[in-house]
């Protein structure tokens, strides 16, 4: 069954809660309260899972957690490169949680020779010219794009020519790549506007 | 009219395109192609705007851009503090685009004395103990939370006690704050899972 994007997003948040939860059972009311959403919404979302561990006293924390992991594929191993070893790239490289959710950052790339050769959280920074070779060698097809906006378009073309198939784009440049490469725009500004729009900040 | 979140998100992406577009007119087909979505979706989204600048040869780029800015409030001025001056906080402080979209980062806060006193992209880093005073003085009620996960819960409580009303939460900790404070969880992992789920990476 195809799970709607919003449900995937919320299930991930439920997982964050379960990850820190110290009791054996948790109620949908507790989850709803922590996220400031409707109890009925939580119960509806959890119905997408095969075995939610629901019982008289609530959901079994361990079972529910495993059900989310299994449904959303947290144990699937996906390797990625970070392109751009500036602040944002380094922050994402240090985001240890990624690995728990199936995303394994294998290396970073930059064109700044001062950054090349450094390691960030155990990930080596290579010169971008090494990308085509390492895409093949390390069998990586996901790139996380964190270069400055002015270089984004050119870098994306280079990624595609190097064999990258999926680009998680953190820049505000809309990338014009061919159809067989998938781009996911991480739209921070759009998210902020949603937030302020709904709350009339 | 309340605009759905997904539409807000896409309108922001259309704005990125218009921002870089060099011709006077643009077709919905061109926008759709760049984002790899349906043409009909683009036209439907644009109908949410009052004056889209639609004419025989496409949309007038300038008019459409202004219509999006006006509808989504890019010219509304919203001030925020960044809490946590590490890589992620610094990356966000350097994100110059934020200001174009109405988000004005006024200052940063950290508890690391080595960071206090630095400036990042013109934003001064203050010690967190100064927060309550500066919330009042600078009239800021939005906090962007980029501290390590282990400090997130405690820091959020402190933000609330300091008078912050909106928290844009970049940590993977679900914050247990009282009802009159709004939290927006920037769920990077959820976004990644959506991406890989729909594309069967």
């Amino acid at each position: 069954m195809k799970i709607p994007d919003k449900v995937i997003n919320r299930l991930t948040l439920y997982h964050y809660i379960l990850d820190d939860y110290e009791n054996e059972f948790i109620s949908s009311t507790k989850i709803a309260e922590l996220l400031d959403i409707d109890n009925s919404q939580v119960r509806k979302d959890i119905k997408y899972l095969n075995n939610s561990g629901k019982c008289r006293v609530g959901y079994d924390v361990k079972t529910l957690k495993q059900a989310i992991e299994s449904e959303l594929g947290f144990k699937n191993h996906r390797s990625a490169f970070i392109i751009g070893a500036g602040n944002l790239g380094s922050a994402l490289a240090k985001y240890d949680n990624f690995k728990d959710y199936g995303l394994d950052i294998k290396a970073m790339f930059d064109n700044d020779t001062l950054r090349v050769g450094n390691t960030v959280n155990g990930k080596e920074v290579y010169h971008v010219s090494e990308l085509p070779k390492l895409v093949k060698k390390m069998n990586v097809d996901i790139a996380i794009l964190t270069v400055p906006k002015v270089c984004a378009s050119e870098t994306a073309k280079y990624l595609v020519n190097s064999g990258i198939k999926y680009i998680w784009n953190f820049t505000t440049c809309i990338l014009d790549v061919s159809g067989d490469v998938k781009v996911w725009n991480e739209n921070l500004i759009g998210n902020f506007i949603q937030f302020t729009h709904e709350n009339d900040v």
Side-chain angles (χ1 to χ4, degrees), chain A:
Chain A
M1 184 167 34
K2 167 87 180 125
I3 304 186
D5 280 355
K6 285 222 160 183
V7 178
I8 291 182
N9 205 292
R10 282 192 298 265
L11 286 172
T12 315
L13 297 176
Y14 304 165
H15 192 270
Y16 293 173
I17 293 173
L18 300 170
D19 214 22
D20 288 333
Y21 208 67
E22 281 166 4
N23 300 327
E24 199 179 339
F25 298 99
I26 191 167
S27 65
S28 54
T29 320
K30 180 69 193 168
I31 296 176
E33 192 191 298
L34 283 169
L35 290 170
D36 198 16
I37 58 178
D38 270 2
N39 187 1
S40 60
Q41 182 71 70
V42 175
R43 279 182 279 123
K44 223 169 112 188
D45 290 345
I46 290 178
K47 281 201 181 125
Y48 279 94
L49 307 170
N50 275 327
N51 173 16
S52 63
K54 190 168 171 41
C55 63
R56 208 175 41 82
V57 288
Y59 297 96
D60 179 88
V61 169
K62 212 173 144 188
T63 309
L64 181 55
K65 212 178 132 195
Q66 284 171 347
I68 296 175
E69 286 165 10
S70 153
E71 182 56 48
L72 300 189
F74 294 170
K75 304 288 178 198
N76 300 355
H77 181 81
R78 301 171 190 107
S79 301
F81 287 148
I82 291 177
I83 318 298
N87 282 117
L88 183 56
S90 300
L92 296 177
K94 286 178 183 168
Y95 214 79
D96 274 325
N97 291 87
F98 276 151
K99 208 163 179 177
D100 299 337
Y101 294 88
L103 174 58
D104 193 3
I105 312 286
K106 289 291 188 186
M108 304 176 75
F109 293 85
D110 209 293
N111 63 0
D112 182 343
T113 49
L114 288 174
R115 289 176 181 159
V116 172
N118 290 349
T119 55
V120 181
N121 194 22
K123 292 135 186 51
E124 189 161 350
V125 182
Y126 294 96
H127 192 269
V128 280
S129 60
E130 306 233 42
L131 187 70
K133 192 181 72 190
L134 288 170
V135 161
K136 281 207 189 74
K137 194 175 160 192
M138 298 174 102
N139 199 21
V140 170
D141 59 3
I142 304 176
I144 302 175
L145 189 62
T146 58
V147 298
K149 185 184 176 179
V150 287
C151 328
S153 174
E154 193 192 344
T155 308
K157 282 191 180 72
Y158 180 70
L159 293 177
V160 173
N161 289 334
S162 304
I164 289 294
K165 295 289 175 212
Y166 303 91
I167 301 177
W168 191 7
N169 177 24
F170 278 79
T171 79
T172 56
C173 176
I174 301 299
L175 310 172
D176 191 6
V177 296
S178 65
D180 61 332
V181 173
K182 295 284 172 201
V183 176
W184 178 267
N185 293 300
E186 185 61 48
N187 185 358
L188 289 181
I189 287 166
N191 295 347
F192 177 72
I193 298 287
Q194 279 170 40
F195 180 34
T196 50
H197 211 259
E198 78 188 28
N199 287 302
D200 300 311
V201 171

